[in-house]
Amino acid sequence: MELSSALRAPEDFFWIDDLPELNSDTVNFRAGRKAEAVHRRAATNNGRLLFRLDGWIHDNFALPPLDWLDLSHETPRLAARLLREAWGLGSTNPAPNMVQLCESRGISVYGLTDIALAVDAFSLWHESRPIIFVSRRKTPERSRFDIAHELGHIILHHDRLPSDESSVAQESEADAFASEFLIPQAALTEYLPSLPRISDIFNFRSSFRVSAMATTVALHRAGRLTDSAYKRRCLDLRRQGFKTGEPNGMTAYERSRIMDHVFSTCREPSMTRTAAAAELSLPTDVIDHGTFKTQLRAVA
Ligand SMILES: [Zn+2]
């Protein structure tokens, strides 16, 4: 009882013995290969607990069916363009709320607790459905990029689990996918002048809800900034605090439409997070973080 209340976990939590096994070697981790095994294990255990919530939500609510493309034979950037087209995003429009976009296509997104903070995000297939787990330890813009990166793994690496040899390549492929999905090269051409200034980069990142650094990297890669101009912009951004943060960026993390609906007080009968935690024998912390209870961004 004392341990139970210290962890804010229902007593039944300690008797859960039907969680599906999950081998952390078969999961795509973001920052994961750098994270120590103990952090990966903490994150996957957090994910295993959330399978209970995921199963419960699928049992009780009609969710959108899975709508995805297996683009494992395309280059990452072409795959990003094809998926944007298939999902009706156009070639130069800003990507909408990434949590809700994935949810609307049948891809679940859950949050991780502080115990999994050494891992930015990971994704896996569970019962023939892809699930993305994200920790919100960085800025909302980085969180959007993390989700797009995991989406890249789902679309590109469905049939290829990471091995030691392939994981570095898969990480850069997922990054390339995320960059093109959120910052399409065609949008850089359409919305930015030929030699973009810092103020142009700020305007673009605000419209596309991406980091100024990621925008600058994309501009350089697309040949829109010379090497020396790129270095100057990066130096400038670092001086203004953009290496570790996103000054004047998004003030809140993106909300989940599904979680807002599941835990809406307007719904009859309504369900609170505390009641769900008790029913599923899970710590309230796991449910609160898992369902993105707090959207506000912690200011460092
Ligand atoms: Zn990854």
Coordinates of all heavy atoms in Angstrom, one line a residue, residues 22 24-25 27-47 50 110-124 131-139 142-143 145-147 149-150 153 171 253 289 292:
L22 N 8.0 -7.1 -25.3 CA 8.5 -6.1 -26.3 C 10.0 -6.1 -26.2 O 10.6 -5.7 -25.2 CB 7.9 -4.8 -25.9 CG 7.8 -3.7 -27.0 CD1 6.7 -2.7 -26.6 CD2 9.1 -3.0 -27.2
S24 N 13.4 -4.5 -26.9 CA 13.9 -3.1 -27.3 C 14.8 -3.1 -28.5 O 15.0 -2.1 -29.1 CB 14.5 -2.4 -26.1 OG 15.6 -3.1 -25.7
D25 N 15.3 -4.3 -28.9 CA 16.1 -4.3 -30.1 C 15.3 -4.2 -31.4 O 15.8 -3.9 -32.5 CB 16.9 -5.6 -30.2 CG 18.0 -5.7 -29.1 OD1 18.3 -4.7 -28.6 OD2 18.4 -6.8 -28.8
V27 N 12.7 -2.1 -31.8 CA 12.0 -0.9 -31.8 C 12.8 0.2 -32.3 O 14.0 0.3 -32.1 CB 11.6 -0.5 -30.3 CG1 10.9 0.8 -30.2 CG2 10.7 -1.6 -29.7
N28 N 12.2 1.1 -33.1 CA 12.9 2.3 -33.6 C 13.0 3.4 -32.6 O 12.0 4.0 -32.3 CB 12.2 2.8 -34.9 CG 12.6 2.0 -36.1 OD1 13.8 1.8 -36.4 ND2 11.6 1.4 -36.8
F29 N 14.2 3.7 -32.1 CA 14.3 4.7 -31.1 C 14.8 6.0 -31.7 O 15.7 6.0 -32.6 CB 15.3 4.3 -30.0 CG 14.7 3.4 -29.0 CD1 14.9 2.0 -29.1 CD2 14.0 3.9 -27.9 CE1 14.3 1.2 -28.2 CE2 13.5 3.1 -27.0 CZ 13.6 1.7 -27.1
R30 N 14.3 7.1 -31.3 CA 14.9 8.4 -31.6 C 15.8 8.8 -30.5 O 15.4 8.8 -29.4 CB 13.8 9.5 -31.9 CG 14.4 10.8 -32.2 CD 13.6 11.6 -33.2 NE 14.1 12.9 -33.4 CZ 15.1 13.2 -34.3 NH1 15.6 12.2 -34.9 NH2 15.5 14.4 -34.5
A31 N 17.1 9.1 -30.8 CA 18.1 9.3 -29.8 C 18.4 8.0 -29.0 O 19.1 8.0 -28.1 CB 17.7 10.4 -28.8
G32 N 17.7 7.0 -29.5 CA 17.8 5.7 -28.7 C 19.1 5.0 -28.8 O 19.6 4.5 -27.8
R33 N 19.8 5.1 -30.0 CA 21.0 4.4 -30.0 C 22.1 5.1 -29.1 O 23.0 4.5 -28.7 CB 21.5 4.3 -31.5 CG 20.6 3.5 -32.4 CD 20.6 2.0 -32.0 NE 19.2 1.5 -32.3 CZ 18.9 0.2 -32.0 NH1 19.7 -0.6 -31.5 NH2 17.7 -0.2 -32.3
K34 N 21.8 6.4 -28.9 CA 22.8 7.1 -28.0 C 22.3 6.9 -26.5 O 23.1 6.9 -25.6 CB 22.8 8.6 -28.3 CG 23.7 8.9 -29.5 CD 23.6 10.4 -29.8 CE 22.7 10.6 -31.1 NZ 22.2 12.0 -31.2
A35 N 21.0 6.7 -26.4 CA 20.5 6.4 -25.0 C 21.0 5.1 -24.5 O 21.1 4.2 -25.3 CB 19.0 6.5 -25.0
E36 N 21.3 5.0 -23.2 CA 21.7 3.7 -22.7 C 20.6 2.7 -22.7 O 19.4 3.1 -22.7 CB 22.2 4.0 -21.3 CG 23.5 4.8 -21.2 CD 23.9 5.1 -19.8 OE1 23.5 4.4 -18.9 OE2 24.6 6.2 -19.6
A37 N 21.0 1.4 -22.6 CA 20.1 0.4 -22.6 C 19.0 0.5 -21.5 O 17.8 0.2 -21.7 CB 20.8 -1.0 -22.5
V38 N 19.5 1.0 -20.4 CA 18.5 1.1 -19.2 C 17.4 2.2 -19.6 O 16.3 2.0 -19.2 CB 19.3 1.5 -17.9 CG1 20.0 2.9 -18.1 CG2 18.4 1.5 -16.7
H39 N 17.8 3.2 -20.3 CA 16.8 4.2 -20.7 C 15.8 3.6 -21.8 O 14.6 3.9 -21.7 CB 17.4 5.5 -21.3 CG 18.2 6.2 -20.2 ND1 19.5 6.6 -20.5 CD2 18.0 6.5 -19.0 CE1 20.0 7.2 -19.4 NE2 19.1 7.1 -18.4
R40 N 16.4 2.8 -22.7 CA 15.5 2.2 -23.7 C 14.5 1.3 -23.0 O 13.4 1.2 -23.4 CB 16.4 1.5 -24.7 CG 17.2 2.4 -25.6 CD 17.4 1.8 -27.0 NE 18.2 0.6 -26.9 CZ 19.5 0.5 -27.1 NH1 20.2 1.7 -27.3 NH2 20.2 -0.6 -27.0
R41 N 15.0 0.5 -22.0 CA 14.2 -0.4 -21.4 C 13.1 0.3 -20.6 O 11.9 -0.1 -20.6 CB 15.0 -1.3 -20.4 CG 14.4 -2.7 -20.2 CD 15.4 -3.7 -19.7 NE 16.3 -3.2 -18.7 CZ 17.6 -3.1 -18.8 NH1 18.2 -3.5 -19.9 NH2 18.3 -2.7 -17.8
A42 N 13.4 1.4 -20.0 CA 12.4 2.2 -19.2 C 11.3 2.7 -20.2 O 10.1 2.7 -19.9 CB 13.1 3.4 -18.5
A43 N 11.8 3.2 -21.4 CA 10.9 3.7 -22.4 C 10.0 2.6 -22.9 O 8.7 2.8 -23.1 CB 11.6 4.4 -23.5
T44 N 10.5 1.4 -23.2 CA 9.7 0.3 -23.8 C 8.7 -0.2 -22.7 O 7.6 -0.5 -23.0 CB 10.5 -0.8 -24.3 OG1 11.5 -1.2 -23.4 CG2 11.1 -0.5 -25.7
N45 N 9.2 -0.2 -21.5 CA 8.2 -0.6 -20.4 C 7.1 0.3 -20.3 O 5.9 0.0 -20.1 CB 9.0 -0.8 -19.1 CG 9.8 -2.1 -19.0 OD1 9.5 -3.0 -19.8 ND2 10.8 -2.1 -18.2
N46 N 7.4 1.6 -20.4 CA 6.4 2.7 -20.4 C 5.4 2.4 -21.6 O 4.2 2.4 -21.4 CB 7.0 4.0 -20.6 CG 6.1 5.2 -20.3 OD1 6.6 6.3 -20.1 ND2 4.8 5.0 -20.3
G47 N 5.9 2.1 -22.7 CA 5.1 1.8 -23.9 C 4.3 0.5 -23.7 O 3.1 0.5 -24.0
L50 N 1.3 1.3 -21.8 CA 0.3 2.1 -22.6 C -0.4 1.2 -23.6 O -1.5 1.6 -24.1 CB 1.0 3.3 -23.3 CG 1.4 4.4 -22.4 CD1 2.4 5.4 -23.0 CD2 0.2 5.2 -21.9
Y110 N 1.2 8.4 -28.3 CA 1.1 8.5 -26.9 C 2.3 9.2 -26.3 O 3.4 9.2 -26.9 CB 1.0 7.1 -26.2 CG -0.3 6.4 -26.6 CD1 -0.4 5.4 -27.5 CD2 -1.5 6.7 -25.9 CE1 -1.5 4.8 -27.9 CE2 -2.7 6.1 -26.2 CZ -2.7 5.1 -27.2 OH -3.9 4.5 -27.6
G111 N 2.2 9.8 -25.1 CA 3.3 10.5 -24.5 C 3.9 9.6 -23.5 O 3.3 8.6 -22.9
L112 N 5.2 9.8 -23.2 CA 6.0 9.0 -22.3 C 6.2 9.8 -21.0 O 6.2 11.1 -21.0 CB 7.4 8.7 -22.8 CG 7.4 7.8 -24.1 CD1 8.7 7.9 -24.8 CD2 7.0 6.4 -23.7
T113 N 6.3 9.1 -19.9 CA 6.5 9.8 -18.6 C 8.0 10.3 -18.4 O 8.8 10.0 -19.3 CB 6.3 8.9 -17.4 OG1 7.3 7.8 -17.4 CG2 4.9 8.2 -17.4
D114 N 8.2 11.0 -17.4 CA 9.6 11.6 -17.2 C 10.6 10.5 -17.0 O 11.8 10.7 -17.3 CB 9.6 12.4 -15.9 CG 8.7 13.7 -16.1 OD1 8.4 14.0 -17.2 OD2 8.4 14.3 -15.0
I115 N 10.2 9.3 -16.7 CA 11.2 8.2 -16.5 C 11.8 7.8 -17.8 O 12.9 7.3 -17.8 CB 10.5 7.0 -15.8 CG1 11.5 6.2 -15.0 CG2 9.8 6.1 -16.8 CD1 10.9 5.2 -14.1
A116 N 11.2 8.1 -18.9 CA 11.7 7.8 -20.2 C 12.3 8.9 -20.9 O 12.5 8.9 -22.1 CB 10.5 7.2 -21.0
L117 N 12.7 9.9 -20.2 CA 13.1 11.2 -20.8 C 14.4 11.1 -21.6 O 14.7 12.0 -22.4 CB 13.3 12.3 -19.7 CG 12.0 12.9 -19.3 CD1 12.3 14.1 -18.4 CD2 11.2 13.4 -20.5
A118 N 15.2 10.1 -21.4 CA 16.5 10.0 -22.2 C 16.1 9.6 -23.7 O 17.0 9.6 -24.5 CB 17.4 9.0 -21.6
V119 N 14.9 9.2 -23.9 CA 14.5 8.8 -25.3 C 13.5 9.9 -25.8 O 12.6 10.2 -25.1 CB 13.8 7.4 -25.2 CG1 13.1 7.1 -26.5 CG2 14.8 6.3 -24.9
D120 N 13.8 10.4 -27.0 CA 12.9 11.4 -27.5 C 11.6 10.8 -28.0 O 10.5 11.4 -27.8 CB 13.6 12.1 -28.7 CG 14.7 13.0 -28.2 OD1 14.6 13.5 -27.1 OD2 15.7 13.1 -29.0
A121 N 11.7 9.7 -28.7 CA 10.5 9.1 -29.3 C 10.9 7.7 -29.7 O 12.0 7.3 -29.9 CB 10.1 9.9 -30.5
F122 N 9.9 6.8 -29.9 CA 10.1 5.6 -30.6 C 8.8 5.1 -31.2 O 7.7 5.6 -30.9 CB 10.7 4.5 -29.7 CG 9.9 4.0 -28.5 CD1 9.0 2.9 -28.6 CD2 9.9 4.7 -27.3 CE1 8.3 2.5 -27.5 CE2 9.2 4.2 -26.2 CZ 8.4 3.1 -26.3
S123 N 8.9 4.2 -32.1 CA 7.7 3.7 -32.8 C 7.8 2.2 -33.0 O 8.9 1.6 -33.0 CB 7.5 4.4 -34.1 OG 8.6 4.2 -34.9
L124 N 6.6 1.6 -33.1 CA 6.6 0.1 -33.3 C 5.2 -0.3 -33.9 O 4.3 0.6 -34.0 CB 6.8 -0.6 -32.0 CG 6.0 -0.1 -30.8 CD1 4.6 -0.7 -30.8 CD2 6.7 -0.6 -29.5
I131 N 2.3 2.5 -33.7 CA 2.1 3.4 -32.6 C 3.4 4.2 -32.4 O 4.5 3.7 -32.5 CB 1.8 2.6 -31.3 CG1 0.6 1.6 -31.4 CG2 1.5 3.5 -30.1 CD1 0.3 0.9 -30.2
I132 N 3.2 5.5 -32.2 CA 4.3 6.4 -31.9 C 4.3 6.8 -30.5 O 3.2 7.2 -29.9 CB 4.2 7.6 -32.8 CG1 4.4 7.2 -34.3 CG2 5.3 8.6 -32.4 CD1 4.1 8.3 -35.3
F133 N 5.4 6.7 -29.8 CA 5.5 7.2 -28.4 C 6.5 8.4 -28.4 O 7.6 8.3 -29.0 CB 6.0 6.1 -27.5 CG 5.2 4.9 -27.4 CD1 5.4 3.8 -28.3 CD2 4.1 4.8 -26.5 CE1 4.6 2.7 -28.2 CE2 3.3 3.7 -26.4 CZ 3.5 2.6 -27.3
V134 N 6.1 9.5 -27.8 CA 7.0 10.7 -27.7 C 7.1 11.2 -26.3 O 6.1 11.2 -25.5 CB 6.4 11.9 -28.6 CG1 6.8 11.7 -30.0 CG2 5.0 12.1 -28.4
S135 N 8.3 11.7 -26.0 CA 8.5 12.4 -24.7 C 8.6 13.8 -25.1 O 9.0 14.2 -26.2 CB 9.7 11.9 -24.0 OG 10.9 12.4 -24.7
R136 N 8.0 14.7 -24.2 CA 8.0 16.1 -24.6 C 9.1 16.8 -23.7 O 8.7 17.6 -22.9 CB 6.6 16.6 -24.3 CG 5.6 16.1 -25.3 CD 4.2 16.5 -25.1 NE 3.5 16.5 -26.3 CZ 2.2 16.8 -26.4 NH1 1.5 17.2 -25.4 NH2 1.6 16.7 -27.6
R137 N 10.3 16.4 -24.0 CA 11.4 17.0 -23.2 C 12.0 18.2 -23.9 O 12.8 18.9 -23.3 CB 12.4 16.0 -22.8 CG 13.1 15.4 -24.0 CD 14.1 14.3 -23.5 NE 14.8 13.8 -24.6 CZ 16.2 13.6 -24.5 NH1 16.8 13.9 -23.5 NH2 16.8 13.1 -25.6
K138 N 11.6 18.4 -25.2 CA 12.2 19.5 -25.9 C 11.1 20.5 -26.3 O 10.0 20.5 -25.7 CB 13.0 18.9 -27.1 CG 14.2 18.1 -26.6 CD 15.1 17.7 -27.8 CE 16.3 16.9 -27.2 NZ 16.7 15.9 -28.2
T139 N 11.3 21.2 -27.3 CA 10.3 22.3 -27.7 C 9.2 21.6 -28.5 O 9.3 20.5 -29.0 CB 11.0 23.3 -28.6 OG1 11.4 22.7 -29.8 CG2 12.2 24.0 -27.9
R142 N 10.3 20.7 -31.9 CA 11.1 19.4 -31.9 C 10.2 18.2 -31.8 O 10.4 17.2 -32.4 CB 12.2 19.4 -30.8 CG 13.3 20.3 -31.1 CD 14.2 19.8 -32.2 NE 14.8 18.5 -31.9 CZ 16.0 18.3 -31.3 NH1 16.7 19.3 -31.0 NH2 16.4 17.1 -31.1
S143 N 9.1 18.4 -31.0 CA 8.2 17.3 -30.8 C 7.5 16.9 -32.2 O 7.3 15.8 -32.5 CB 7.2 17.6 -29.8 OG 6.3 16.6 -29.6
F145 N 8.8 17.4 -35.1 CA 9.9 16.8 -35.9 C 10.0 15.3 -35.5 O 10.2 14.4 -36.3 CB 11.2 17.5 -35.8 CG 12.2 17.2 -36.9 CD1 12.2 17.9 -38.1 CD2 13.0 16.1 -36.8 CE1 13.1 17.6 -39.1 CE2 13.9 15.8 -37.8 CZ 13.9 16.5 -39.0
D146 N 10.0 15.1 -34.1 CA 10.2 13.7 -33.6 C 9.0 12.8 -34.2 O 9.2 11.6 -34.6 CB 10.1 13.7 -32.1 CG 11.4 14.2 -31.5 OD1 12.4 14.3 -32.2 OD2 11.4 14.5 -30.3
I147 N 7.8 13.3 -34.2 CA 6.7 12.5 -34.7 C 6.8 12.3 -36.2 O 6.6 11.1 -36.7 CB 5.3 13.2 -34.4 CG1 5.1 13.3 -32.9 CG2 4.2 12.5 -35.1 CD1 3.9 14.1 -32.5
H149 N 9.6 12.1 -37.8 CA 10.7 11.2 -37.9 C 10.2 9.7 -37.7 O 10.5 8.8 -38.4 CB 11.8 11.5 -36.8 CG 12.9 10.6 -36.7 ND1 14.2 10.8 -37.2 CD2 13.0 9.3 -36.1 CE1 15.0 9.8 -36.9 NE2 14.3 8.9 -36.2
E150 N 9.4 9.5 -36.7 CA 8.8 8.2 -36.4 C 7.9 7.8 -37.5 O 7.9 6.6 -37.9 CB 8.1 8.1 -35.1 CG 9.0 8.4 -33.8 CD 10.2 7.5 -33.8 OE1 10.1 6.3 -34.2 OE2 11.3 7.9 -33.4
H153 N 10.0 6.2 -40.1 CA 10.3 4.8 -39.8 C 9.1 3.9 -40.2 O 9.3 2.9 -40.8 CB 10.6 4.6 -38.3 CG 12.0 5.0 -37.9 ND1 13.1 4.6 -38.6 CD2 12.4 5.8 -36.9 CE1 14.2 5.2 -38.0 NE2 13.8 5.9 -36.9
E171 N 18.3 6.0 -39.3 CA 18.1 7.3 -38.6 C 18.2 8.5 -39.5 O 17.3 9.4 -39.5 CB 19.1 7.4 -37.4 CG 18.8 6.5 -36.2 CD 17.4 6.6 -35.8 OE1 16.9 7.6 -35.4 OE2 16.7 5.5 -36.0
Y253 N 2.3 22.5 -26.7 CA 2.5 21.2 -27.5 C 1.1 21.0 -28.2 O 0.1 21.4 -27.7 CB 2.8 20.1 -26.6 CG 4.2 20.1 -26.0 CD1 4.5 20.6 -24.7 CD2 5.3 19.8 -26.8 CE1 5.7 20.7 -24.2 CE2 6.6 19.9 -26.3 CZ 6.8 20.3 -25.0 OH 8.1 20.4 -24.5
H289 N 0.6 11.5 -18.7 CA 1.6 11.7 -19.7 C 1.2 11.1 -21.0 O 1.3 11.6 -22.1 CB 3.0 11.2 -19.3 CG 3.7 12.2 -18.4 ND1 3.5 12.1 -17.0 CD2 4.6 13.2 -18.7 CE1 4.3 13.1 -16.5 NE2 4.9 13.7 -17.4
F292 N -1.4 13.1 -22.9 CA -1.0 14.5 -23.1 C -2.0 15.4 -22.3 O -2.5 16.4 -22.8 CB -1.1 14.9 -24.6 CG -0.3 14.0 -25.5 CD1 -0.9 13.2 -26.5 CD2 1.1 13.9 -25.4 CE1 -0.2 12.4 -27.3 CE2 1.8 13.1 -26.3 CZ 1.2 12.4 -27.2

